[in-house]
Amino acid sequence: DQPVATSAAGAHSGRSEGGHVSGMTDDHKLLLRCTSSLMQSRNSAVVMAAAALQFDFAPYYDLYRLAKALVFALRTSRSSSEYVLLVNIMTLVGKHAGVFGPYIDGFFVRAADPLQVKSLKLDILTEIVMEEHLPCLLKELQAYLRDGNMVFVSKVVCALGKCARKHDGIRDRILRSLMALCTHTSDIVSSHSVQEIIGLMHEAPHMYTAQVAQLIRRYGLLGSPVARVGVIWMACCHLTLHTRTGRTEQEVRENIGEKQFQVLNELACEAARVATIGFASEHETVKVQILNTWAKLRVVTSSTGASPLLDHALALAECDESYNVRDRARFYAGLLATGNGEASEQEAGNQAMDQETVKRIILASGGFQKSGVSGLIGTSGTFSLGSLSHAVGHHAPGYRPLPDFPLESTSGHLRDPSWAVASNPSPSNGMGGQRSSFSGEPGHLQHASGVIPVAGVRKESYSRGSGQMPTGSPLDNFYSDSESEGGHADGSDSYSYYSSDEDEAQ
């Protein structure tokens, strides 16, 4: 009801980080008390609806109990219901990740789970994992790497990289595992391993020179074009670090160190040289990345070895069958041709300015574009929990968003029936000040607003004017704990005594 929602919204806005709710009204307490018992339902839809309401309006210290109910419903649901529950739990995890942390074992992947369910469980596991659960989670992920579905294994690789970025204590351990997985026989697993390695090392490449050199040595073992592009980009990522971090080139050089910067330049030249050897047989994206690397080295380093190898790569690219590679080669040839030949003093000044502009253009490339497996659910945070639109991630036909809360609190009497509102409590009605009073003949309820017929009630069933059941009925002492008070003379407490089959036959 709207009055309850209004009071609950006001209390929810006053929730503090410590878990206390300020300004909880009577309607708010009534709502939470009436819906808390629904968390024990065996219907997963009922549990999800009640949990969505409780997560929005209940105090923080009650959310752990709700998380436990959702995990139990997840364990006892079928695959279709399990997927819907996981989609909603994923949204709740984004708001209260710590609530589901103690129940991390409830999201472990089972061999019989569909791929969509496995992917959602992996996403939830990486979000709710805490420091004390890391050893257990790493053992689980290690077991998942032996799965026969390479798409699922690639998702496990992405989960490993996500855990390493969130917890620095296991970064080196996971990095070693990813280095071993980058030469996997499956192209999708190999490409995702290289991408996760890039995600761990691209912000501080000078700290991982040994790993970069190892990747360059394994370049020939990489079968995926995405993995090869990642290795080449990683080797020269220090050249564009200032554009990606918003710092100046001089600041980046001072942070890395001049000696370490030269080591990274040599590694970039070696990676580009190894890739240029098989330029004609490389994939289109790999060829473009080779040209990008040589152009960056040409404008940054003063090495004399970069220019002839760049000219060789441009000559190969100009005859390539791909028009993208040919266009890129002509673009770099035109940019890097500035300043060649003799010129006057004024033209030399203009060419020097052009060289600075060319350098900014070539080094203005952004970060490495990951081609990872996209999530199975879209941006569903704007949709109501439990709705079809929330599950599919877009507006489903017939979806209507919840209305905004009113600015002013409304009266709780709006929930009362219309016939109850018309009655006024009176002390003479013998009902202790309640809003309704009933009297009249059997079969009818006399109310202040009129006579209400009661279906299925015979006049003979009540003693006139008394409103009581006939004496001797087993219902008189139905709730009595005494064995001597609860029944007929023959000791029978069955409902068939009052209207037995023999009486009906007579």
Side-chain angles (χ1 to χ4, degrees), residues 388-410:
L388 177 62
S389 298
H390 180 272
V392 298
H394 59 81
H395 281 275
Y399 174 79
R400 292 187 300 174
L402 292 175
D404 296 333
F405 292 110
L407 299 179
E408 297 181 359
S409 180
T410 53

mmCIF file of all heavy atoms in Angstrom, residues 388-410:
data_model
loop_
_atom_site.group_PDB
_atom_site.id
_atom_site.type_symbol
_atom_site.label_atom_id
_atom_site.label_comp_id
_atom_site.label_asym_id
_atom_site.label_seq_id
_atom_site.Cartn_x
_atom_site.Cartn_y
_atom_site.Cartn_z
ATOM 1 N N LEU A 388 10.106 -8.999 -15.404
ATOM 2 C CA LEU A 388 10.693 -9.541 -16.626
ATOM 3 C C LEU A 388 11.705 -8.572 -17.220
ATOM 4 O O LEU A 388 12.739 -8.993 -17.750
ATOM 5 C CB LEU A 388 9.573 -9.835 -17.634
ATOM 6 C CG LEU A 388 10.015 -10.344 -19.009
ATOM 7 C CD1 LEU A 388 10.754 -11.667 -18.885
ATOM 8 C CD2 LEU A 388 8.808 -10.487 -19.939
ATOM 9 N N SER A 389 11.426 -7.293 -17.139
ATOM 10 C CA SER A 389 12.365 -6.297 -17.663
ATOM 11 C C SER A 389 13.693 -6.355 -16.926
ATOM 12 O O SER A 389 14.761 -6.172 -17.524
ATOM 13 C CB SER A 389 11.751 -4.897 -17.545
ATOM 14 O OG SER A 389 10.569 -4.790 -18.303
ATOM 15 N N HIS A 390 13.655 -6.607 -15.641
ATOM 16 C CA HIS A 390 14.901 -6.732 -14.871
ATOM 17 C C HIS A 390 15.687 -7.959 -15.288
ATOM 18 O O HIS A 390 16.918 -7.932 -15.324
ATOM 19 C CB HIS A 390 14.574 -6.800 -13.382
ATOM 20 C CG HIS A 390 15.766 -6.923 -12.502
ATOM 21 N ND1 HIS A 390 16.313 -8.145 -12.158
ATOM 22 C CD2 HIS A 390 16.542 -5.991 -11.901
ATOM 23 C CE1 HIS A 390 17.353 -7.964 -11.381
ATOM 24 N NE2 HIS A 390 17.524 -6.658 -11.208
ATOM 25 N N ALA A 391 15.000 -9.041 -15.634
ATOM 26 C CA ALA A 391 15.691 -10.272 -16.008
ATOM 27 C C ALA A 391 16.347 -10.164 -17.381
ATOM 28 O O ALA A 391 17.454 -10.664 -17.590
ATOM 29 C CB ALA A 391 14.717 -11.451 -15.984
ATOM 30 N N VAL A 392 15.665 -9.490 -18.328
ATOM 31 C CA VAL A 392 16.195 -9.403 -19.688
ATOM 32 C C VAL A 392 17.041 -8.154 -19.903
ATOM 33 O O VAL A 392 17.756 -8.045 -20.898
ATOM 34 C CB VAL A 392 15.052 -9.453 -20.716
ATOM 35 C CG1 VAL A 392 14.307 -10.763 -20.611
ATOM 36 C CG2 VAL A 392 14.086 -8.283 -20.537
ATOM 37 N N GLY A 393 16.963 -7.178 -19.017
ATOM 38 C CA GLY A 393 17.806 -6.008 -19.118
ATOM 39 C C GLY A 393 17.289 -4.904 -20.002
ATOM 40 O O GLY A 393 18.032 -3.984 -20.335
ATOM 41 N N HIS A 394 16.023 -4.948 -20.411
ATOM 42 C CA HIS A 394 15.451 -3.867 -21.204
ATOM 43 C C HIS A 394 13.952 -3.829 -20.940
ATOM 44 O O HIS A 394 13.386 -4.715 -20.289
ATOM 45 C CB HIS A 394 15.727 -4.063 -22.703
ATOM 46 C CG HIS A 394 15.176 -5.347 -23.260
ATOM 47 N ND1 HIS A 394 13.862 -5.516 -23.638
ATOM 48 C CD2 HIS A 394 15.769 -6.552 -23.478
ATOM 49 C CE1 HIS A 394 13.667 -6.738 -24.084
ATOM 50 N NE2 HIS A 394 14.812 -7.400 -23.990
ATOM 51 N N HIS A 395 13.276 -2.805 -21.464
ATOM 52 C CA HIS A 395 11.848 -2.644 -21.228
ATOM 53 C C HIS A 395 11.074 -3.736 -21.956
ATOM 54 O O HIS A 395 11.087 -3.799 -23.189
ATOM 55 C CB HIS A 395 11.383 -1.269 -21.700
ATOM 56 C CG HIS A 395 11.697 -0.164 -20.743
ATOM 57 N ND1 HIS A 395 10.887 0.158 -19.675
ATOM 58 C CD2 HIS A 395 12.761 0.671 -20.667
ATOM 59 C CE1 HIS A 395 11.417 1.161 -18.998
ATOM 60 N NE2 HIS A 395 12.560 1.496 -19.576
ATOM 61 N N ALA A 396 10.415 -4.582 -21.193
ATOM 62 C CA ALA A 396 9.555 -5.603 -21.775
ATOM 63 C C ALA A 396 8.171 -5.011 -22.052
ATOM 64 O O ALA A 396 7.768 -4.032 -21.409
ATOM 65 C CB ALA A 396 9.435 -6.806 -20.835
ATOM 66 N N PRO A 397 7.437 -5.554 -23.010
ATOM 67 C CA PRO A 397 6.088 -5.023 -23.293
ATOM 68 C C PRO A 397 5.195 -5.103 -22.056
ATOM 69 O O PRO A 397 5.113 -6.136 -21.386
ATOM 70 C CB PRO A 397 5.578 -5.943 -24.410
ATOM 71 C CG PRO A 397 6.813 -6.485 -25.054
ATOM 72 C CD PRO A 397 7.824 -6.609 -23.966
ATOM 73 N N GLY A 398 4.563 -3.992 -21.746
ATOM 74 C CA GLY A 398 3.664 -3.930 -20.599
ATOM 75 C C GLY A 398 4.315 -3.540 -19.299
ATOM 76 O O GLY A 398 3.626 -3.479 -18.274
ATOM 77 N N TYR A 399 5.599 -3.277 -19.303
ATOM 78 C CA TYR A 399 6.270 -2.911 -18.049
ATOM 79 C C TYR A 399 5.923 -1.477 -17.672
ATOM 80 O O TYR A 399 5.969 -0.567 -18.494
ATOM 81 C CB TYR A 399 7.783 -3.057 -18.193
ATOM 82 C CG TYR A 399 8.550 -2.564 -16.977
ATOM 83 C CD1 TYR A 399 8.646 -3.346 -15.835
ATOM 84 C CD2 TYR A 399 9.145 -1.308 -16.977
ATOM 85 C CE1 TYR A 399 9.340 -2.903 -14.721
ATOM 86 C CE2 TYR A 399 9.836 -0.850 -15.873
ATOM 87 C CZ TYR A 399 9.929 -1.648 -14.746
ATOM 88 O OH TYR A 399 10.606 -1.194 -13.651
ATOM 89 N N ARG A 400 5.584 -1.284 -16.420
ATOM 90 C CA ARG A 400 5.314 0.046 -15.884
ATOM 91 C C ARG A 400 6.159 0.241 -14.634
ATOM 92 O O ARG A 400 6.089 -0.566 -13.706
ATOM 93 C CB ARG A 400 3.828 0.212 -15.540
ATOM 94 C CG ARG A 400 2.909 0.235 -16.755
ATOM 95 C CD ARG A 400 1.487 0.575 -16.349
ATOM 96 N NE ARG A 400 0.951 -0.394 -15.408
ATOM 97 C CZ ARG A 400 -0.234 -0.266 -14.802
ATOM 98 N NH1 ARG A 400 -0.969 0.809 -15.031
ATOM 99 N NH2 ARG A 400 -0.642 -1.195 -13.970
ATOM 100 N N PRO A 401 6.956 1.267 -14.570
ATOM 101 C CA PRO A 401 7.801 1.477 -13.382
ATOM 102 C C PRO A 401 6.969 1.853 -12.184
ATOM 103 O O PRO A 401 5.823 2.328 -12.300
ATOM 104 C CB PRO A 401 8.736 2.618 -13.807
ATOM 105 C CG PRO A 401 7.965 3.347 -14.859
ATOM 106 C CD PRO A 401 7.155 2.306 -15.582
ATOM 107 N N LEU A 402 7.529 1.639 -11.015
ATOM 108 C CA LEU A 402 6.849 2.005 -9.780
ATOM 109 C C LEU A 402 6.725 3.521 -9.678
ATOM 110 O O LEU A 402 7.646 4.255 -10.057
ATOM 111 C CB LEU A 402 7.611 1.471 -8.571
ATOM 112 C CG LEU A 402 7.636 -0.047 -8.399
ATOM 113 C CD1 LEU A 402 8.531 -0.414 -7.219
ATOM 114 C CD2 LEU A 402 6.245 -0.594 -8.182
ATOM 115 N N PRO A 403 5.599 4.033 -9.194
ATOM 116 C CA PRO A 403 5.457 5.488 -9.046
ATOM 117 C C PRO A 403 6.366 6.017 -7.948
ATOM 118 O O PRO A 403 6.790 5.285 -7.049
ATOM 119 C CB PRO A 403 3.973 5.663 -8.688
ATOM 120 C CG PRO A 403 3.577 4.369 -8.057
ATOM 121 C CD PRO A 403 4.381 3.312 -8.763
ATOM 122 N N ASP A 404 6.652 7.282 -8.024
ATOM 123 C CA ASP A 404 7.481 7.916 -7.006
ATOM 124 C C ASP A 404 6.739 7.995 -5.683
ATOM 125 O O ASP A 404 5.502 8.043 -5.639
ATOM 126 C CB ASP A 404 7.897 9.321 -7.447
ATOM 127 C CG ASP A 404 8.774 9.287 -8.682
ATOM 128 O OD1 ASP A 404 9.451 8.264 -8.878
ATOM 129 O OD2 ASP A 404 8.766 10.281 -9.445
ATOM 130 N N PHE A 405 7.491 8.015 -4.600
ATOM 131 C CA PHE A 405 6.891 8.148 -3.287
ATOM 132 C C PHE A 405 6.322 9.555 -3.115
ATOM 133 O O PHE A 405 6.916 10.536 -3.575
ATOM 134 C CB PHE A 405 7.932 7.889 -2.192
ATOM 135 C CG PHE A 405 8.407 6.478 -2.138
ATOM 136 C CD1 PHE A 405 9.691 6.146 -2.528
ATOM 137 C CD2 PHE A 405 7.576 5.467 -1.691
ATOM 138 C CE1 PHE A 405 10.138 4.847 -2.481
ATOM 139 C CE2 PHE A 405 8.005 4.170 -1.638
ATOM 140 C CZ PHE A 405 9.296 3.851 -2.035
ATOM 141 N N PRO A 406 5.180 9.680 -2.477
ATOM 142 C CA PRO A 406 4.631 11.028 -2.230
ATOM 143 C C PRO A 406 5.504 11.790 -1.248
ATOM 144 O O PRO A 406 6.187 11.207 -0.394
ATOM 145 C CB PRO A 406 3.239 10.738 -1.650
ATOM 146 C CG PRO A 406 3.342 9.379 -1.069
ATOM 147 C CD PRO A 406 4.299 8.622 -1.943
ATOM 148 N N LEU A 407 5.477 13.095 -1.379
ATOM 149 C CA LEU A 407 6.302 13.934 -0.518
ATOM 150 C C LEU A 407 5.764 14.009 0.898
ATOM 151 O O LEU A 407 6.526 14.207 1.842
ATOM 152 C CB LEU A 407 6.403 15.349 -1.117
ATOM 153 C CG LEU A 407 7.048 15.416 -2.509
ATOM 154 C CD1 LEU A 407 7.067 16.858 -3.003
ATOM 155 C CD2 LEU A 407 8.449 14.841 -2.494
ATOM 156 N N GLU A 408 4.463 13.848 1.049
ATOM 157 C CA GLU A 408 3.853 13.921 2.366
ATOM 158 C C GLU A 408 3.307 12.557 2.755
ATOM 159 O O GLU A 408 2.721 11.845 1.930
ATOM 160 C CB GLU A 408 2.719 14.950 2.384
ATOM 161 C CG GLU A 408 3.196 16.376 2.105
ATOM 162 C CD GLU A 408 2.044 17.364 2.147
ATOM 163 O OE1 GLU A 408 0.898 16.902 2.369
ATOM 164 O OE2 GLU A 408 2.291 18.564 1.954
ATOM 165 N N SER A 409 3.467 12.209 4.013
ATOM 166 C CA SER A 409 2.976 10.928 4.492
ATOM 167 C C SER A 409 1.454 10.922 4.537
ATOM 168 O O SER A 409 0.817 11.906 4.923
ATOM 169 C CB SER A 409 3.532 10.649 5.895
ATOM 170 O OG SER A 409 3.061 9.417 6.375
ATOM 171 N N THR A 410 0.875 9.813 4.103
ATOM 172 C CA THR A 410 -0.568 9.665 4.075
ATOM 173 C C THR A 410 -1.040 8.857 5.280
ATOM 174 O O THR A 410 -0.269 8.189 5.953
ATOM 175 C CB THR A 410 -1.016 8.982 2.784
ATOM 176 O OG1 THR A 410 -0.288 7.763 2.633
ATOM 177 C CG2 THR A 410 -0.742 9.879 1.583
#
